[in-house]
Amino acid sequence: MSKKSLIEKEKKKKTLVKKHDFARESLKRQLKKSFSIQEKLEISEALRSLPRDSAPTRLRNRRHLTGRPRSNYRDFGLSRHVLREMAHTCLLPGSKKASW
């Protein structure tokens, strides 16, 4: 189980990303369309003025229930521990244990 403070921090980052998503995307589109260097500098400065945590790359994938940050499978939203347990108890259809 992750610390509650880290999970709450991630929630705040998600809301920031949602809040500034439209502005960030529109500035990026303008940056691609502009030809003059002066315009590009102004637009990139506007991008830099947005909060740093509003960038989607700063988010961390976490397990929904426990908040575990590592070994998280995107497709299932589960960590490797829980995925293995569910596969052993036949709760995941189509998955089976590898035996060598």
Side-chain angles (χ1 to χ4, degrees):
M1 183 80 178
S2 277
K3 289 169 58 173
K4 301 256 187 208
S5 61
L6 292 177
I7 295 172
E8 290 302 315
K9 227 184 250 189
E10 282 295 320
K11 286 180 185 176
K12 284 183 183 179
K13 283 182 189 179
K14 279 184 185 179
T15 57
L16 256 179
V17 167
K18 282 184 184 178
K19 181 179 176 183
H20 294 285
D21 186 42
F22 181 73
R24 186 174 288 279
E25 290 302 317
S26 64
L27 285 172
K28 283 183 179 180
R29 271 189 256 117
Q30 288 176 7
L31 192 63
K32 283 185 180 180
K33 289 181 183 178
S34 67
F35 291 111
S36 73
I37 294 175
Q38 188 62 30
E39 269 185 57
K40 286 187 178 190
L41 286 174
E42 290 171 2
I43 295 170
S44 62
E45 186 62 37
L47 258 176
R48 274 195 298 261
S49 70
L50 291 174
R52 184 180 282 180
D53 282 341
S54 69
T57 56
R58 303 215 13 134
L59 291 176
R60 178 86 176 163
N61 285 338
R62 291 184 176 270
R63 184 162 176 250
H64 297 292
L65 295 176
T66 59
R68 181 179 166 86
R70 300 191 182 222
S71 69
N72 185 23
Y73 289 93
R74 242 182 280 165
D75 301 333
F76 304 107
L78 302 170
S79 64
R80 63 184 173 88
H81 306 290
V82 177
L83 187 73
R84 186 172 187 266
E85 288 173 8
M86 289 178 78
H88 282 291
T89 57
C90 301
L91 293 175
L92 292 176
S95 65
K96 61 181 185 179
K97 184 180 172 194
S99 60
W100 313 14

